[in-house]
Amino acid sequence: MLSHLPTLGVGLGFREPFISDLFLNRQQVDFLEIVAEHYLDASWQKQQELKLLATHFPIIPHAINLSLGSAEGLDTDYLRKLAALIKQLNPPWWSEHICFTKAGGVDIGHLSPLPYTQEAVEVLCRNIAEVRRWIDVPLILENITYMVKLPGAEMTEAQFLGEVVERSDCGLLLDVTNLHTNAVNYSYDVHDFLQQLPSDRIVQLHFVGGHWHDGILIDSHSQSTPVEVWQLIEEVVARVPVKGIILERDENLPPFAELTAELQKARNIGRSHSRWG
Amino acid sequence: MNALLHNPIADMYGPDFLLFYCSVIVITLVTCWRLVQDPTKNHPLPLIPAEPDPYQIAYLRSQETGIANVALFDLIVRGYLQVNEQSISQVPNHPDVSQLEPIEREVFDKLSSSSTAKTSLWLATESIQLYCNAYEEKLQNEQLLYASQWQEWNIKVGLIGAMIIFSLGSYKLLIALGKGRYNVGFLIANGVLSIIFLLWFVSRRSHLSYRGKVYLQQLQATFTRLQHKAKYEMPSVFDYNLLVALFGIEALAGTSYDSYYKAFFPPTFSRTVSRRSNSSDSSCSSSSGCGSSCSSSSCSSSSCGGGCGGCGGS
């Protein structure tokens, strides 16, 4: 199901402040990932912006607030708008997070972890089946970082991720930085973790750097990619025919040349394993 | 002959004819308006090039003057020309001219002696005419400029419309005068005003086609962050050229090249006085006293940072 997806190469999470530089360095960016929420109830200007981006780059919509892990089900109003956006863009795939952002009708405003239980897997699969009724474009699911581990786990995080993507027949958007962040904060072996993941399901990667706060590594998307994350990227790309990799810088935006240098580094890693040109 | 003098139009009662005439005028104007629509209205926009050409964009925005502005400014940023208060001159120890593009070389050679900013711009515009033809042709091929044949078509449409209005009005006027009726002022006014409006409408000259206007707007929206970059970051020479091409010299106000902006738009006396009197205003670009520290050859190279420090309000 996933092997037929096209290889997109090296891309960038689009953020409005660097639109000028993006177009001045267009040849160094193969595709863009947009935050779907920015364009769901879009103003005329945002619609024009999306049109402009879509005519110049392949676009992957990245949703944040669908809340696939909500036991109460999905917000159909949100889902309808998301489906319309994805239909408009007709991407090769789209992505969401394995988490919940809404509970009891309240928007938490944060990607919150799920308990690693069969019940949570069931909830996710049920919601994903509902999503499929609206959106027939392949969905890939992203691993998140967390500040708290929910008690009552019936499996490890890696097993949980694997179970979800296998049972729901989704791809995996492996956020390498999230993986590194969790491994550092919870002292687990990231290589063991990688071994437990269904590697044939990995479609896309995310990478960026975070910052330290009171001894905790925060996934703030605010720093350049650390060496440990580069090593992980190298390891994953060597093992898996990854279709695309996205630099996801949000905060503390550096001169654009720094971003393109990171993209070039990711490109070189892909090239060395014949994943992309 | 009888049919010419007696037919439904000739025999039509005055107010009825005026109503009929107004309807004909409205229908003619609407038809002409529809026929002179820009043929590029539904064309998709061209892609933004991976390497935009500031000269081409400058021509799109403001023709020869735009190109001259970019060329002049490029020579200043790269250290070939310098701004001294209101004048522009060659830098005595400028870099090797062999590094210049032909268009820049033309402008550089033309400015062998110091002249005011506006004269320099005029001289630069004079010297680049030949190069403009190539840009004109390129943009014309992309249907970004309003083609002369469309203009000719518009004039034809306007003349036919005017002829219809004129013929009908004149015919009725002659009939009315022949019958000894002289209350024809409203008829004449209607006809004359609508013909004037129609001819004005079809002869409006637009440099850009609809596609060109929207494309320019798209370019400006896409690269609008360059304005912020020029003020608060360190843009490259190319960024600066693109900025001037897209937004004109006005976009340099408050940047490291504020002196160049001021050479074209000198601060007015009253503004200078009011700013001088405001001791809390420490902006470099505010008073002529400070302006000099950032003008002259200090701004003739890209090493001029955004600082112009030390011009406090005291």
Side-chain angles (χ1 to χ4, degrees), chain B residues 91-112:
Chain B
V91 175
N93 51 345
H94 56 75
D96 184 4
V97 289
S98 64
Q99 292 169 12
L100 295 175
E101 295 290 321
I103 191 168
E104 292 150 3
R105 182 69 192 266
E106 289 281 351
V107 173
F108 181 75
D109 290 344
K110 196 82 178 180
L111 296 178
S112 51

Side-chain angles (χ1 to χ4, degrees), chain A residues 14-66:
Chain A
F14 174 73
R15 306 295 178 259
E16 203 185 328
F18 52 64
I19 185 168
S20 301
D21 286 314
L22 171 68
F23 275 86
L24 290 175
N25 296 272
R26 197 145 66 85
Q27 285 162 327
Q28 295 173 69
V29 182
D30 299 332
F31 74 110
L32 293 178
E33 188 182 75
I34 56 148
V35 175
E37 280 68 16
H38 294 171
Y39 302 96
L40 292 185
D41 291 307
S43 62
W44 184 83
Q45 280 91 344
K46 289 300 279 181
Q47 286 173 33
Q48 291 303 110
E49 179 184 274
L50 184 61
K51 207 168 144 190
L52 174 75
L53 297 175
T55 50
H56 290 81
F57 297 93
I59 304 270
I60 298 294
H62 183 52
I64 291 175
N65 210 17
L66 186 53

Side-chain angles (χ1 to χ4, degrees), chain B:
Chain B
M1 189 65 183
N2 195 38
L4 201 63
L5 295 174
H6 294 285
N7 57 55
I9 291 177
D11 295 337
M12 204 178 275
Y13 184 56
D16 291 345
F17 177 79
L18 281 177
L19 195 65
F20 171 70
Y21 191 46
C22 285
S23 307
V24 170
I25 287 172
V26 169
I27 290 167
T28 307
L29 292 180
V30 170
T31 308
C32 290
W33 175 71
R34 290 189 69 85
L35 287 173
V36 301
Q37 291 289 301
D38 192 320
T40 66
K41 212 149 202 176
N42 296 319
H43 290 194
L45 294 181
L47 288 181
I48 294 174
E51 288 170 15
D53 178 356
Y55 289 115
Q56 189 173 319
I57 292 171
Y59 191 83
L60 184 69
R61 182 179 180 267
S62 21
Q63 296 137 286
E64 290 89 348
T65 316
I67 291 188
N69 263 327
V70 173
L72 265 181
F73 183 65
D74 177 80
L75 290 167
I76 288 168
V77 177
R78 290 164 66 191
Y80 289 90
L81 299 178
Q82 60 188 352
V83 182
N84 288 298
E85 300 284 333
Q86 304 293 306
S87 68
I88 294 174
S89 59
Q90 289 186 353
V91 175
N93 51 345
H94 56 75
D96 184 4
V97 289
S98 64
Q99 292 169 12
L100 295 175
E101 295 290 321
I103 191 168
E104 292 150 3
R105 182 69 192 266
E106 289 281 351
V107 173
F108 181 75
D109 290 344
K110 196 82 178 180
L111 296 178
S112 51
S113 58
S114 175
S115 31
T116 65
K118 282 180 181 157
T119 309
S120 301
L121 182 61
W122 180 76
L123 288 169
T125 309
E126 287 277 289
S127 65
I128 52 154
Q129 292 296 333
L130 271 178
Y131 298 91
C132 292
N133 296 339
Y135 289 114
E136 166 102 20
E137 198 182 326
K138 225 181 218 177
L139 295 171
Q140 200 72 263
N141 289 342
E142 292 196 64
Q143 295 197 319
L144 295 170
L145 303 183
Y146 205 90
S148 56
Q149 63 264 34
W150 303 341
Q151 192 66 37
E152 286 162 16
W153 163 256
N154 291 348
I155 298 289
K156 272 183 203 162
V157 167
L159 287 176
I160 291 170
M163 191 58 73
I164 291 169
I165 296 169
F166 176 76
S167 304
L168 184 61
S170 307
Y171 170 67
K172 187 65 180 177
L173 180 67
L174 290 174
I175 294 287
L177 293 175
K179 289 180 179 173
R181 297 195 182 104
Y182 297 99
N183 53 341
V184 290
F186 193 65
L187 172 68
I188 293 170
N190 252 354
V192 169
L193 289 178
S194 57
I195 287 171
I196 289 172
F197 172 78
L198 180 58
L199 294 180
W200 166 81
F201 179 72
V202 296
S203 60
R204 280 179 312 161
R205 290 197 74 85
S206 171
H207 166 57
L208 298 181
S209 65
Y210 177 82
R211 191 181 196 219
K213 282 177 197 158
V214 178
Y215 183 59
L216 179 61
Q217 284 167 5
Q218 187 183 66
L219 285 170
Q220 287 174 327
T222 304
F223 295 112
T224 189
R225 294 286 303 185
L226 286 178
Q227 296 179 88
H228 179 271
K229 197 173 179 182
K231 280 182 185 157
Y232 305 109
E233 295 170 37
M234 294 290 284
S236 64
V237 176
F238 179 81
D239 289 345
Y240 267 127
N241 286 349
L242 193 56
L243 178 75
V244 172
L246 280 167
F247 303 102
I249 299 169
E250 294 89 332
L252 296 171
T255 70
S256 307
Y257 293 95
D258 196 55
S259 60
Y260 183 64
Y261 161 74
K262 281 182 180 160
F264 285 92
F265 303 98
T268 59
F269 178 74
S270 59
R271 199 189 302 165
T272 308
V273 167
S274 71
R275 288 189 180 180
R276 273 184 182 165
S277 65
N278 183 358
S279 61
S280 65
D281 184 354
S282 62
S283 164
C284 247
S285 57
S286 62
S287 79
S288 57
C290 256
S292 59
S293 71
C294 199
S295 65
S296 78
S297 59
S298 68
C299 252
S300 64
S301 79
S302 57
S303 63
C304 182
C308 307
C311 356
S314 58

Side-chain angles (χ1 to χ4, degrees), chain A residues 66 73-74 76 79-80 83 94 123-137 139:
Chain A
L66 186 53
L74 301 172
T76 47
L79 185 53
R80 191 181 61 246
W94 66 286
V123 166
L124 281 162
C125 290
R126 194 174 64 227
N127 285 338
I128 289 167
E130 169 71 5
V131 168
R132 287 234 167 84
R133 279 194 275 277
W134 292 75
I135 304 166
D136 58 4
V137 174
L139 167 63

Side-chain angles (χ1 to χ4, degrees), chain A:
Chain A
M1 177 215 170
L2 303 167
S3 58
H4 75 281
L5 294 176
T7 299
L8 295 186
V10 179
L12 194 57
F14 174 73
R15 306 295 178 259
E16 203 185 328
F18 52 64
I19 185 168
S20 301
D21 286 314
L22 171 68
F23 275 86
L24 290 175
N25 296 272
R26 197 145 66 85
Q27 285 162 327
Q28 295 173 69
V29 182
D30 299 332
F31 74 110
L32 293 178
E33 188 182 75
I34 56 148
V35 175
E37 280 68 16
H38 294 171
Y39 302 96
L40 292 185
D41 291 307
S43 62
W44 184 83
Q45 280 91 344
K46 289 300 279 181
Q47 286 173 33
Q48 291 303 110
E49 179 184 274
L50 184 61
K51 207 168 144 190
L52 174 75
L53 297 175
T55 50
H56 290 81
F57 297 93
I59 304 270
I60 298 294
H62 183 52
I64 291 175
N65 210 17
L66 186 53
S67 196
L68 287 170
S70 287
E72 69 210 50
L74 301 172
D75 177 345
T76 47
D77 186 41
Y78 176 94
L79 185 53
R80 191 181 61 246
K81 290 176 190 167
L82 183 63
L85 177 74
I86 292 170
K87 191 175 178 188
Q88 178 194 340
L89 294 171
N90 191 25
W93 67 81
W94 66 286
S95 55
E96 237 299 356
H97 300 82
I98 300 179
C99 70
F100 71 104
T101 58
K102 292 169 190 164
V106 177
D107 204 326
I108 303 169
H110 192 76
L111 306 177
S112 308
L114 292 162
Y116 304 139
T117 61
Q118 280 300 334
E119 190 184 357
V121 173
E122 296 294 337
V123 166
L124 281 162
C125 290
R126 194 174 64 227
N127 285 338
I128 289 167
E130 169 71 5
V131 168
R132 287 234 167 84
R133 279 194 275 277
W134 292 75
I135 304 166
D136 58 4
V137 174
L139 167 63
I140 65 172
L141 301 171
E142 181 179 354
N143 57 309
I144 63 164
T145 57
Y146 40 85
M147 289 291 110
V148 59
K149 264 187 168 177
L150 298 185
E154 296 163 4
M155 57 190 102
T156 65
E157 184 192 354
Q159 288 167 340
F160 179 74
L161 296 178
E163 181 91 1
V164 170
V165 293
E166 291 286 1
R167 289 212 19 213
S168 63
D169 195 21
C170 288
L172 187 60
L173 163 50
L174 183 64
D175 190 316
V176 187
T177 303
N178 288 354
L179 188 55
H180 168 67
T181 306
N182 291 335
V184 167
N185 290 338
Y186 295 97
S187 308
Y188 63 71
D189 189 306
V190 75
H191 306 289
D192 285 350
F193 189 103
L194 274 177
Q195 290 297 329
Q196 293 177 57
L197 288 178
S199 56
D200 59 325
R201 294 259 167 203
I202 299 175
V203 173
Q204 187 192 320
L205 305 183
H206 270 173
F207 70 103
V208 70
H211 74 277
W212 287 93
H213 181 78
D214 284 345
I216 296 171
L217 185 54
I218 306 290
D219 176 37
S220 53
H221 298 193
S222 62
Q223 303 295 321
S224 56
T225 310
V227 64
E228 297 88 344
V229 172
W230 285 118
Q231 285 165 357
L232 273 176
I233 292 172
E234 180 92 42
E235 188 179 333
V236 175
V237 173
R239 275 181 52 205
V240 182
V242 176
K243 307 289 185 183
I245 181 166
I246 284 282
L247 173 58
E248 209 183 19
R249 188 72 179 256
D250 286 315
E251 302 289 334
N252 187 26
L253 292 177
F256 199 74
E258 279 184 34
L259 300 184
T260 53
E262 291 205 47
L263 293 180
Q264 188 55 43
K265 196 167 175 178
R267 188 181 299 284
N268 292 341
I269 292 174
R271 268 191 194 144
S272 66
H273 298 285
S274 306
R275 300 299 183 211
W276 47 72

